[in-house]
Amino acid sequence: MSTGRNEPAPARRTRQRSAVKDGLDRCEGFVSAQELHDRLRRDGQSVGLTTVYRALQALGEGGEVDSLVTDDGETVYRRCSPEHHHHLVCRSCGRTIEIAGPAVETWAHAVASENGFTDISHTLELFGQCGSCTSA
Amino acid sequence: MSTGRNEPAPARRTRQRSAVKDGLDRCEGFVSAQELHDRLRRDGQSVGLTTVYRALQALGEGGEVDSLVTDDGETVYRRCSPEHHHHLVCRSCGRTIEIAGPAVETWAHAVASENGFTDISHTLELFGQCGSCTSA
DNA sequence: GGTGGTTTTGACAATCATTTTCAACAAGCC
DNA sequence: GGCTTGTTGAAAATGATTGTCAAAACCACC
């Protein structure tokens, strides 16, 4: 109780957090916390699994990574641009393309107000087979 | 090996499966397997939790119910119309409205082909605050 | 370059939804 | 009624994620 204030949290920079961030950068598509943990370990960058979870969650809250929940309940993460966007993900190879859909945003808000809903958020993901995987 | 064929599965009708189906009908929005299990139990319709899970999964595969995974990894189910549609869900009370979005379907396919993707599927859910919850 | 107050780490245990196991049971059929 | 086979469900197993808490690392500030 030195300052008398409730400062949010200084956010210290550590080897582990950098490793998680860098590891994520080296991934093509979405990865789960466990996959990333394995990958770091194989690279010799030993980081505790708990820490990977915490780092990813923090990055997610800070808007530096996107996260989504797969059908089988696993949360997967990916480095992303800070603007609002959606994804087009290849079912076979996991390659991911970021999509901006202004039309969809507009539509979503229109539909919502028609039904008396406010404070709208939405999830939208596209899945398919990318060109390389189709021709292969 | 009596028939020599691989018949898919006769699908037997039982008290438990009917109870799950009826229970789901009596729900307003999405419910988790566990919530439904509790509800049935309170109604005196004792059905094992395992069975509730299995019944919901079967109904989902048969297209008779919609399921989606919440942010915290819980799968929730809801009786639905068989046509393709999306949802507008109230964050506070769970009230759910089915939405048809032909424009979105078209847009999704257009964006996909622009990027060389085929065999497209998509997930789209809207969340917000419904009128009743806002005024309350 | 040391020191202290915090934050962060990570091995392990705990939690929680869901699935598997497997013996008892019930549906539909002769 | 009896048979065959799909179904049930209690309990144990699984698997992702989170809580615990002592030890280690960070970052001013001397």
Side-chain angles (χ1 to χ4, degrees), chain A residues 69-71 73 88-91 95 97 99-101 104 107-108 111-112 115-131 134, chain B residues 69-71 73 88-91 95 97 99-101 104 107-108 111-112 115-131 134:
Chain A
V69 182
T70 64
D71 291 340
L88 174 57
V89 186
C90 176
R91 262 190 292 268
R95 194 154 68 86
I97 296 175
I99 301 171
V104 176
W107 170 84
V111 170
N115 289 279
F117 278 61
T118 53
D119 190 18
I120 289 301
S121 65
H122 60 280
T123 68
L124 168 60
E125 308 292 338
L126 306 183
F127 301 94
Q129 190 102 19
C130 78
T134 303
Chain B
V69 183
T70 62
D71 291 340
L88 174 56
V89 186
C90 177
R91 262 191 292 268
R95 195 154 67 87
I97 296 174
I99 300 172
V104 177
W107 170 84
V111 170
N115 289 280
F117 278 61
T118 53
D119 191 19
I120 289 301
S121 65
H122 60 279
T123 66
L124 168 59
E125 309 291 337
L126 307 184
F127 300 94
Q129 190 102 20
C130 78
T134 303

Side-chain angles (χ1 to χ4, degrees), chain B residues 12 14 16-17 48 51 54:
Chain B
R12 224 167 253 184
T14 67
Q16 289 87 338
R17 290 217 246 260
T51 303
R54 274 189 293 235

Side-chain angles (χ1 to χ4, degrees), chain B residues 36-51:
Chain B
L36 186 53
H37 174 249
D38 286 351
R39 199 175 290 223
L40 290 174
R41 174 152 296 187
R42 270 197 293 280
D43 288 357
Q45 299 261 24
S46 184
V47 178
L49 178 57
T50 311
T51 303

Side-chain angles (χ1 to χ4, degrees), chain A residues 19 23 51 62 76 102-103 110 113 123:
Chain A
T51 303
V76 289
S113 16
T123 68

